Amino acid sequence: MATAAAQNKTASTHRTAVFSGTHQLDILGYTTRRHLGGADGTVRSRTFDAGGFLWTIVCRFHQNMAQAAKGVTLESISLELSCNETDEAVVATASVRIDDPSGTGRWPAAEWRSEEPNVFPARSRTTMAWELAVPDAFRDNEARYADADADCLTVHCNVDVYREESAYGATTRSYLVALPPPPSLGRDIRRLREEKWWPDVTFSVDETKIQAHRLVLAMRSPVFAAEFRADMKEKTMRCIKVVDMSTRTFRAMLHFIYADELPKPKTGACRVAMARDLLVAADLYDLERLRLMCENILSENIDTSNVMATLMLVHNRHSCHRLEASCVEYMASGPDVYEAMEATEEYKELDKTCPSFINEITKKVAKRAVARNRSPSSSSSSGNNSSIETASVSRYNPSEVTSGTHEFRIECLSVIRKTHGASGQFIRSGSFQVGGHEWAIDVYLSGEEEEDMGYIAIFLALLKTPATDVKVSAFFRLDDRHGKSIGRTFTNVYTKADPVDRGLPTFTTMASANSRFVAHDGSLTVHCRLEVTTESCTGNTVSIAVSPVHVPPSSKLASHLEELLASEKGWDVKFLVEESEIHAHGLVVATRSPALHELVESATGTDYVRVDDGMKASTFKAMLHFIYTDELPRIDDLTAIVPFDAGKDPLTMVVGEMLAAACRFRLERMRRLCENLLAENITPGNALATLELAGRHGCAELEGYCIEYISLPHVVKDVMKTFSSFCRIPR
């Protein structure tokens, strides 16, 4: 049966940087001279730079012989690239503008823009010319644009050079601004014990005093929580005696409670012996995750020397029936195994002191051995019982399905078609991970093969050769401007022998993409949903046949703290925010946010801590959620309760307020998460507000990202439309 894992969501952009250059060419004598230019009637500008290349404007004039009085007329305009000695083709667009020379604006400027970019080949040492066009408005009304007083014609030319930002033109960024610090919740809680901060309970174990914190123990163990109830004597005891447990085991159990992980065995220490001791402690204090971790260690290390000790340990422990079954399976795996176990001193001792236990185990082993012998796979081919075939022991791993999504955005599609317009040429997305494998999307704008030249092909690339077969189901989708979409699915099994790309060679026609799916900014976005299935398999093992028990993930610590915050049990600090009372636990606040703890310490003499300076109650609760869980709360829940404010984006408002709180109380990871959330959701409508937030709180990376975003050619115009309304919004 397949098991589903959490979905992974990523995105990448094939971003093209634009480098612009402008040049003004003043042509004197245009209205009075009968001839302009050299023998061929051309006037050349000085060279100018655009995108790191040298360009020249070339104007050609025509002598009107029939009407000599009119002199010459502008016949054509060309743009010349001096040379291109790089390994990449130069892709450029150009525009020509001739203004009304009077400066009164009576006549609109005569303009021409290239509809498609032009490609100048790579590795060319000769001059390459591109024929532009004389604006139609100028041809029809030449007298308006020629300055008779100055005897001059002025031609403006703008050149935009498009260059990819990386080799494949796309990078996947899990974090748009900067990678936040890793979660520190476990480390911070562990420091409470390691650095002995504010302990409030002491345990006496083998005459050794060990300090701890009631809040952490009660949060992690139901048994400790029951002991610390108001009606229990342990509630008021300053020192609690622990019997039937060694100091080493109790310390190891405390390490797990605080860190949610097993301690590292000391050099020379036996990992199995530690797991055996901790299994008893976990059962005693109802630490389910610790018990399962110990069971797995013991199951994986069963051998003749320890199988009887493990069976004695789990005997009559109903929670450990899987481990007992593993021991029985090992003993029944063959006559040699059971005979070797019978020869051990431990077995002989137990046979004398606990014959009833040995008798019970022997029956279970015999029952399992009989079941094996009755299996069709274990029957003898000779038809007699002179030899007994030993059944192999194996472990079955069920299949698992992991899903993820990736959005691949291709900017300036018309430009990219010029550089990747031949069949067989593709654009690759940034890499992303699903199911433990690294993937990328390859988009062929003119088909993978020459016969599919009119189609867009979409392929899925597995970037590293898999060790085992990987079954994949991929769904690709394009959305049009009206919310409608087309999508197609393909499935494939990538093998070690055949890991090549697979996909849809005729996903849609290029004509359909241009007419329906190219956005107003000239970009094309490919949506991909991926499901990766790890096939179920059965492999040989040396000991047990039962599957290992599933150990819950280490996020239990965060979930326990989140439950503690929601229940408001055991709180000892009361915050007053916007006249709302918000309860918290001083121990958690102190270890997670020293700055907020300073505020608590400064409020001595009162029964509450006032938080002002414009802090909202909802923002403070969101910050507490981060302090207790190391993650931001669901933003949808917060924006849903934001009152309508004309001109303000709810998400930018909410995340901006959380960013301010993170900066105020020096929560670095929260600050970074807020910065990335703002960057991920930036739009022309909120770009200026996001930039202002970044500057106000000193977020240099976010500020740089906003400036880069606003400067994009297809964005800057839309941003400027919001400038006047942004200036009217009160800060």
Side-chain angles (χ1 to χ4, degrees):
M1 179 178 178
T3 57
Q7 179 171 303
N8 182 41
K9 181 180 180 180
T10 55
S12 63
T13 300
H14 185 286
R15 182 161 290 148
T16 304
V18 182
F19 301 88
S20 300
T22 60
H23 190 77
Q24 176 179 316
L25 173 60
D26 295 325
I27 305 173
L28 300 177
Y30 181 77
T31 58
T32 58
R33 296 184 184 181
R34 290 185 175 275
H35 299 280
L36 279 175
D40 57 352
T42 61
V43 172
R44 304 175 64 86
S45 72
R46 293 289 186 97
T47 57
F48 62 97
D49 179 87
F53 298 93
L54 296 179
W55 307 85
T56 304
I57 304 169
V58 180
C59 295
R60 290 183 172 83
F61 296 92
H62 172 66
Q63 177 68 44
N64 193 329
M65 301 303 295
Q67 301 180 26
K70 289 188 176 183
V72 296
T73 57
L74 181 60
E75 183 179 14
S76 67
I77 302 175
S78 297
L79 183 66
E80 290 184 353
L81 174 62
S82 297
C83 64
N84 176 23
E85 297 185 358
T86 69
D87 293 326
E88 296 181 10
V90 177
V91 182
T93 57
S95 63
V96 175
R97 190 185 80 250
I98 303 175
D99 293 326
D100 175 5
S102 67
T104 62
R106 180 181 180 185
W107 309 112
E111 293 186 271
W112 173 88
R113 296 179 183 276
S114 58
E115 294 182 358
E116 293 287 335
N118 190 67
V119 179
F120 298 87
R123 287 294 173 188
S124 176
R125 298 189 178 184
T126 61
T127 300
M128 294 170 282
W130 178 18
E131 184 85 13
L132 305 183
V134 178
D136 291 338
F138 176 82
R139 289 188 184 276
D140 297 337
N141 302 281
E142 184 175 345
R144 296 177 181 174
Y145 299 97
D147 189 348
D149 296 334
D151 195 16
C152 177
L153 178 69
T154 300
V155 178
H156 301 270
C157 183
N158 181 81
V159 182
D160 290 333
V161 179
Y162 298 83
R163 306 186 74 175
E164 294 180 354
E165 287 188 346
S166 62
Y168 290 114
T171 55
T172 300
R173 296 201 235 181
S174 300
Y175 299 96
L176 300 177
V177 176
L179 185 67
S184 61
L185 183 62
R187 183 190 65 202
D188 291 340
I189 297 299
R190 187 166 64 247
R191 283 169 59 201
L192 282 174
R193 177 170 171 268
E194 292 174 349
E195 301 182 18
K196 298 181 180 179
W197 289 353
W198 311 289
D200 57 3
V201 64
T202 302
F203 294 92
S204 176
V205 190
D206 288 341
E207 306 303 323
T208 301
K209 299 296 187 290
I210 302 174
Q211 294 180 317
H213 305 82
R214 294 175 189 269
L215 177 67
V216 177
L217 298 180
M219 175 185 70
R220 300 279 283 143
S221 164
V223 175
F224 277 124
E227 287 183 358
F228 296 147
R229 288 204 316 262
D231 57 343
M232 300 294 288
K233 63 179 182 179
E234 286 86 358
K235 173 70 177 180
T236 56
M237 291 176 62
R238 297 185 61 85
C239 185
I240 301 173
K241 188 173 181 63
V242 177
V243 296
D244 298 330
M245 189 177 296
S246 68
T247 303
R248 182 183 63 183
T249 302
F250 191 81
R251 290 187 188 278
M253 182 184 72
L254 285 185
H255 179 93
F256 171 82
I257 287 175
Y258 280 78
D260 211 26
E261 63 184 17
L262 290 174
K264 293 181 179 179
K266 294 182 179 179
T267 304
C270 178
R271 187 165 176 257
V272 173
M274 181 189 73
R276 191 178 292 131
D277 293 338
L278 280 176
L279 178 65
V280 177
D283 205 33
L284 180 62
Y285 287 99
D286 198 8
L287 298 168
E288 179 67 7
R289 175 173 149 79
L290 177 61
R291 182 184 65 78
L292 295 175
M293 294 170 74
C294 294
E295 273 199 65
N296 270 345
I297 292 174
L298 295 173
S299 293
E300 292 168 359
N301 291 276
I302 293 175
D303 59 27
T304 304
S305 65
N306 63 35
V307 64
M308 292 306 299
T310 302
L311 276 171
M312 281 291 291
L313 182 70
V314 301
H315 187 57
N316 291 330
R317 293 183 188 272
H318 299 294
S319 59
C320 301
H321 63 277
R322 282 178 175 268
L323 180 56
E324 183 183 56
S326 297
C327 294
V328 171
E329 184 72 35
Y330 172 77
M331 295 169 66
S333 61
D336 293 340
V337 174
Y338 194 81
E339 289 175 5
M341 184 267 301
E342 281 184 310
T344 62
E345 293 298 325
E346 191 170 25
Y347 180 89
K348 294 176 182 178
E349 182 66 24
L350 285 173
D351 195 20
K352 294 178 182 178
T353 58
C354 302
S356 60
F357 171 72
I358 292 295
N359 184 52
E360 181 182 344
I361 294 300
T362 303
K363 287 182 179 179
K364 290 181 178 179
V365 172
K367 185 176 181 181
R368 181 65 190 131
V370 170
R372 282 180 175 276
N373 291 332
R374 286 178 177 174
S375 172
S377 61
S378 61
S379 59
S380 174
S381 58
S382 61
N384 57 59
N385 296 325
S386 60
S387 63
I388 300 176
E389 182 178 340
T390 302
S392 62
V393 184
S394 62
R395 175 174 294 156
Y396 173 77
N397 290 320
S399 62
E400 182 180 55
V401 178
T402 305
S403 62
T405 63
H406 189 82
E407 293 182 2
F408 180 30
R409 184 169 181 265
I410 305 171
E411 293 183 347
C412 304
L413 183 66
S414 62
V415 173
I416 302 306
R417 285 185 61 199
K418 294 291 183 179
T419 56
H420 298 77
S423 59
Q425 290 184 314
F426 64 87
I427 308 161
R428 174 161 288 179
S429 73
S431 61
F432 56 97
Q433 287 195 345
V434 179
H437 298 277
E438 196 168 0
W439 308 88
I441 302 169
D442 290 343
V443 178
Y444 296 79
L445 296 178
S446 294
E448 184 199 20
E449 302 292 343
E450 192 169 343
E451 57 266 25
D452 300 323
M453 195 162 183
Y455 289 89
I456 289 181
I458 303 178
F459 279 63
L460 182 67
L462 179 58
L463 300 184
K464 293 182 180 178
T465 302
T468 58
D469 292 358
V470 182
K471 183 179 179 181
V472 178
S473 175
F475 176 71
F476 294 110
R477 189 186 84 241
L478 294 179
D479 296 335
D480 67 14
R481 306 181 189 100
H482 306 292
K484 297 181 180 180
S485 61
I486 61 167
R488 292 176 60 187
T489 302
F490 90 99
T491 58
N492 185 55
V493 177
Y494 293 81
T495 67
K496 186 175 181 180
D498 186 24
V500 297
D501 303 358
R502 291 287 187 272
L504 304 166
T506 57
F507 182 80
T508 188
T509 63
M510 192 67 227
S512 177
N514 281 331
S515 62
R516 293 182 56 193
F517 303 109
V518 175
H520 295 297
D521 61 4
S523 65
L524 179 72
T525 300
V526 178
H527 303 266
C528 173
R529 176 179 173 80
L530 202 61
E531 290 187 350
V532 179
T533 303
T534 304
E535 292 295 331
S536 58
C537 61
T538 303
N540 293 332
T541 64
V542 296
S543 55
I544 60 174
V546 296
S547 299
V549 293
H550 173 67
V551 180
S554 60
S555 59
K556 274 289 186 181
L557 183 59
S559 64
H560 284 158
L561 278 168
E562 187 175 11
E563 291 169 5
L564 182 67
L565 177 64
S567 68
E568 293 196 351
K569 293 180 180 179
W571 64 269
D572 53 4
V573 178
K574 180 170 64 177
F575 294 97
L576 195 62
V577 190
E578 284 189 324
E579 305 308 319
S580 297
E581 291 186 5
I582 300 174
H583 300 152
H585 304 82
L587 190 66
V588 178
V589 170
T591 187
R592 294 282 291 144
S593 175
L596 186 57
H597 178 63
E598 291 173 8
L599 186 63
V600 175
E601 291 287 289
S602 66
T604 55
T606 63
D607 62 349
Y608 60 84
V609 181
R610 178 173 287 279
V611 182
D612 46 22
D613 293 339
M615 176 76 71
K616 292 182 179 179
S618 59
T619 304
F620 191 81
K621 290 179 180 179
M623 184 181 72
L624 279 184
H625 182 279
F626 171 82
I627 287 174
Y628 278 70
T629 66
D630 237 348
E631 296 295 339
L632 296 178
R634 282 175 50 88
I635 303 303
D636 292 345
D637 296 339
L638 297 177
T639 54
I641 62 174
V642 173
F644 175 75
D645 193 342
K648 290 188 177 181
D649 175 39
L651 185 142
T652 307
M653 287 173 57
V654 170
V655 181
E657 290 166 358
M658 290 197 300
L659 175 64
C663 293
R664 176 180 175 182
F665 292 105
R666 301 195 291 276
L667 297 167
E668 180 63 17
R669 173 173 162 81
M670 181 178 177
R671 180 179 74 84
R672 291 290 192 183
L673 290 173
C674 289
E675 285 188 66
N676 280 291
L677 194 56
L678 287 168
E680 182 181 343
N681 290 277
I682 194 170
T683 65
N686 64 26
L688 292 177
T690 305
L691 178 61
E692 190 271 336
L693 275 172
R696 190 196 317 164
H697 298 296
C699 304
E701 293 89 349
L702 178 59
E703 192 172 20
Y705 182 85
C706 291
I707 293 172
E708 177 186 351
Y709 174 79
I710 293 172
S711 64
L712 293 173
H714 64 277
V715 172
V716 64
K717 291 182 180 179
D718 292 335
V719 172
M720 293 311 297
K721 292 176 183 177
T722 69
F723 183 76
S724 58
S725 58
F726 170 75
C727 293
R728 290 195 297 269
I729 298 175
R731 300 292 183 272

